Amino acid sequence: MALLLRFVVLWGVADFTRSLSITTPDQMIEKAKGETAYLPCKFTLSPEDQGPLDIEWLLSPADNQKVDQVIILYSGDKIYDDYYQDLKGRVHFTSNDLKSGDASINVTNLQLSDIGTYQCKVKKAPGVGNKKIQLTVLVKPSGTRCYVDGSEEIGSDFKLKCEPKEGSLPLQYQWQKLSNSQKLPASLLAEMTSPVISVKNATTEYSGTYSCTVTNRVGSDQCLLRLDVVPPSNRAGTIAGAVVGILLALVLIGFIVFCCRKKRREEKYEKEVHHDIREDVPPPKSRTSTARSYIGSNHSSLGSMSPSNMEGYSKTQYNQVPSEDFERTPQSPTLPPAKVILRIM
């Protein structure tokens, strides 16, 4: 009985080893953004696996908010790679003959959205097998900037900072002084692996060129910094100069405003004087009224004359009235005799 049981167990193990199996182990892969990730999936078949070969790759997104997505499929001797829109055109089988036992794929131009668990499923009835691969996409450090935060003067305190624009954590920093590194104090050497170096009571020994290298698991980036520790500047003179400059600017502005207002007052005065002169000038008289006033003045003068010279005066004076005005006036140039006799008496 024991011998029979042993025979059955051995037969089952032998049968299991002859069925379809995926030889690639489960693994984790880390790649940088923009690179290509190779996801291996190799398998072996047994003589009993006679059904059609089906290969399927699925993605379980890292955010766990989406269901498993089919990203590429091989079935019926055809490849279908347009199931998942986010990976359309970026996922391909690496082998031209999938029946040879290689179902590996390449994912090109990696993005952060590609992070997740990828599962390779191979089926050839009655054999079935699957393996999982964890893909992590990291961002290389880039756009690193080195700068001094504070005044680069002797005796002052300031900081040397190294900041990458982007880069996946964890990040490692390494400062290095490219000249006279042996003159650095011990307190500064202790901070050479920190993103910020604090300098206190600075001296000229700190002057020089520094480099900062930022590194993570997929890449690195570097920046340079030139530090010049100089004697303190004459702050009192600088402040005095600034005050004098401000005062001169205010005086100039006040002078310009005064000139503009003076010019406006002069223009206003000229307009008022011109307007008053025009109001004082009497309106021009017509030629008819002039002639009538002329004749009236002659009438007044006739009353004071004697009969002896009245005739000669009337002949000479009325002849001087313009013909045009005279024609418009229907009055006779001579006075009635009755009125003359009365004035003589």
Side-chain angles (χ1 to χ4, degrees):
M1 183 66 181
L3 182 62
L4 179 61
L5 181 60
R6 183 178 180 182
F7 175 77
V8 171
V9 171
L10 291 175
W11 181 84
V13 171
D15 183 70
F16 176 77
T17 56
R18 288 198 304 269
S19 65
L20 186 152
S21 64
I22 296 178
T23 58
T24 302
D26 293 342
Q27 54 186 296
M28 297 180 62
I29 297 176
E30 287 185 349
K31 286 291 182 178
K33 179 183 176 181
E35 293 183 346
T36 297
Y38 169 69
L39 308 184
C41 181
K42 295 184 178 181
F43 60 92
T44 57
L45 300 174
S46 68
E48 287 78 11
D49 299 328
Q50 298 296 323
L53 177 63
D54 292 329
I55 300 173
E56 183 181 55
W57 276 90
L58 298 95
L59 168 61
S60 299
D63 56 11
N64 296 323
Q65 296 180 359
K66 298 179 181 179
V67 298
D68 292 354
Q69 300 286 334
V70 177
I71 61 175
I72 193 169
L73 174 68
Y74 173 81
S75 180
D77 295 331
K78 291 184 179 181
I79 297 175
Y80 305 91
D81 57 2
D82 56 354
Y83 280 94
Y84 189 46
Q85 189 66 29
D86 290 350
L87 283 173
K88 186 176 181 179
R90 296 194 293 120
V91 58
H92 313 280
F93 285 110
T94 59
S95 175
N96 294 326
D97 184 12
L98 299 179
K99 295 179 180 180
S100 63
D102 189 359
S104 304
I105 61 172
N106 280 332
V107 180
T108 62
N109 189 22
L110 288 172
Q111 303 298 317
L112 296 179
S113 59
D114 299 336
I115 297 175
T117 301
Y118 292 75
Q119 184 176 2
C120 174
K121 289 185 177 182
V122 180
K123 179 181 178 181
K124 188 172 177 66
V128 177
N130 67 84
K131 288 293 180 181
K132 293 182 179 181
I133 298 175
Q134 181 69 40
L135 175 62
T136 302
V137 180
L138 303 176
V139 179
K140 293 180 180 179
S142 63
T144 305
R145 184 172 71 100
C146 296
Y147 65 96
V148 180
D149 183 7
S151 176
E152 304 175 39
E153 296 181 350
I154 295 176
S156 62
D157 299 340
F158 55 82
K159 296 180 180 180
L160 308 182
K161 293 187 175 183
C162 180
E163 296 179 353
K165 185 177 181 180
E166 61 179 2
S168 298
L169 301 175
L171 295 173
Q172 296 178 348
Y173 298 84
Q174 182 62 54
W175 286 90
Q176 182 180 1
K177 189 177 182 184
L178 303 181
S179 59
N180 300 326
S181 59
Q182 70 277 8
K183 295 184 179 181
L184 289 175
S187 59
L188 191 62
L189 293 174
E191 297 183 351
M192 298 300 279
T193 57
S194 171
V196 179
I197 296 179
S198 298
V199 178
K200 298 184 180 298
N201 193 19
T203 64
T204 55
E205 294 180 352
Y206 289 92
S207 298
T209 302
Y210 294 79
S211 69
C212 175
T213 303
V214 186
T215 307
N216 64 7
R217 293 196 297 266
V218 292
S220 63
D221 193 31
Q222 187 182 66
C223 63
L224 297 177
L225 169 66
R226 176 63 190 179
L227 176 63
D228 293 312
V229 181
V230 297
S233 58
N234 187 359
R235 297 182 179 178
T238 303
I239 295 173
V243 172
V244 172
I246 294 173
L247 291 176
L248 290 176
L250 293 175
V251 170
L252 179 60
I253 294 173
F255 178 75
I256 294 174
V257 172
F258 172 77
C259 292
C260 293
R261 295 187 64 179
K262 182 179 179 182
K263 185 176 180 180
R264 290 181 181 178
R265 286 197 300 267
E266 291 176 353
E267 292 177 352
K268 183 178 180 181
Y269 176 76
E270 291 177 358
K271 291 181 179 180
E272 291 177 353
V273 171
H274 181 70
H275 182 70
D276 293 342
I277 292 175
R278 293 180 62 89
E279 288 181 349
D280 293 341
V281 176
K285 296 182 179 181
S286 62
R287 297 182 64 182
T288 305
S289 61
T290 303
R292 290 178 180 176
S293 63
Y294 176 77
I295 294 172
S297 62
N298 286 337
H299 276 288
S300 62
S301 60
L302 284 175
S304 60
M305 290 186 179
S306 61
S308 60
N309 58 8
M310 183 182 302
E311 182 179 358
Y313 179 81
S314 62
K315 290 180 179 180
T316 58
Q317 295 296 325
Y318 281 97
N319 289 336
Q320 295 177 4
V321 180
S323 59
E324 180 180 352
D325 292 339
F326 182 75
E327 290 175 0
R328 293 180 182 179
T329 306
Q331 297 178 359
S332 174
T334 59
L335 296 173
K339 293 182 179 180
V340 173
I341 293 172
L342 290 174
R343 296 183 65 87
I344 293 173
M345 293 174 63

